[in-house]
Amino acid sequence: MSERRLLLVNGPNLNLLGTREPEIYGSQTLADVERIVTDAAAAHGFEVRAVQSNHEGVLIDAIHEARLDCAGIVINPGGLTHTSVVLRDALSGVALPVAEVHISDVSKREAFRHHSYVADVAVVHVVGEGVPGYETAVVRLVDVITGQADG
Ligand code: CA2
């Protein structure tokens, strides 16, 4: 592990967190998510670089850049989870450990949300724990990263 930094990626529409659909996504905002992840990572000695975009290419560029200075990626790909081979290829291509997070329990929602293109390139999966699930993802990803470093 060369850097104690995580990349936090939030995909399309997650900038709307806390403004609509609180019955599905809760009332916390994207700023709350970024603070929770930053604090959880700091407790383990990691910095966080956060990106949210509604544009697939911006997310892919951020993932490619993480290869240079990050030890792992926490990602909620939003709806791209269910559609994007190119996002999956980017994650696979940088070969960093990935934690996939979903705020809602996608397995209990519409059938089109049941498949994730990201799932089998991620080593950590946290689904349906709400916004606190991001903290769970950080803790479990740091365990993977530090385990790799020690091993
Ligand atoms: O549960 C999740 O975290 C999702 O990744 C959220 C995506 C959805 O397409 C996935 O199936 C599951 C949607 C993100 C949109 O977030 C909004 C938040 C508030 C208001 C409107 C959208």
Side-chain angles (χ1 to χ4, degrees):
M1 178 184 41
S2 56
E3 302 275 354
R4 292 185 76 86
R5 186 178 299 107
L6 304 179
L7 177 68
L8 170 65
V9 179
N10 279 292
N13 299 309
L14 286 159
N15 55 309
L16 297 177
L17 272 180
T19 67
R20 290 181 45 232
E21 303 190 60
E23 67 285 2
I24 301 175
Y25 300 114
S27 57
Q28 288 176 290
T29 64
L30 179 64
D32 293 327
V33 168
E34 293 181 351
R35 178 183 45 76
I36 286 165
V37 168
T38 299
D39 289 351
H44 294 86
F46 282 76
E47 295 176 15
V48 171
R49 181 160 68 237
V51 60
Q52 186 279 328
S53 181
N54 298 321
H55 304 278
E56 200 170 33
V58 172
L59 302 175
I60 290 165
D61 287 344
I63 290 165
H64 289 178
E65 284 160 20
R67 185 168 42 98
L68 305 175
D69 65 357
C70 291
I73 299 174
V74 176
I75 184 167
N76 182 344
L80 294 174
T81 306
H82 319 297
T83 65
S84 182
V85 173
V86 293
L87 186 68
R88 173 220 172 81
D89 287 345
L91 291 167
S92 169
V94 297
L96 292 170
V98 173
E100 178 184 8
V101 183
H102 297 288
I103 297 167
S104 63
D105 186 349
V106 283
S107 73
K108 298 206 168 93
R109 297 182 64 191
E110 303 95 323
F112 65 81
R113 297 186 200 276
H114 295 181
H115 178 259
S116 167
Y117 281 99
V118 170
D120 67 357
V121 297
V123 291
V124 170
H125 307 88
V126 181
V127 177
E129 291 190 16
V131 165
Y134 282 89
E135 178 169 0
T136 308
V138 168
V139 170
R140 290 175 50 194
L141 184 63
V142 165
D143 278 351
V144 169
I145 292 166
T146 55
Q148 284 177 350
D150 293 344

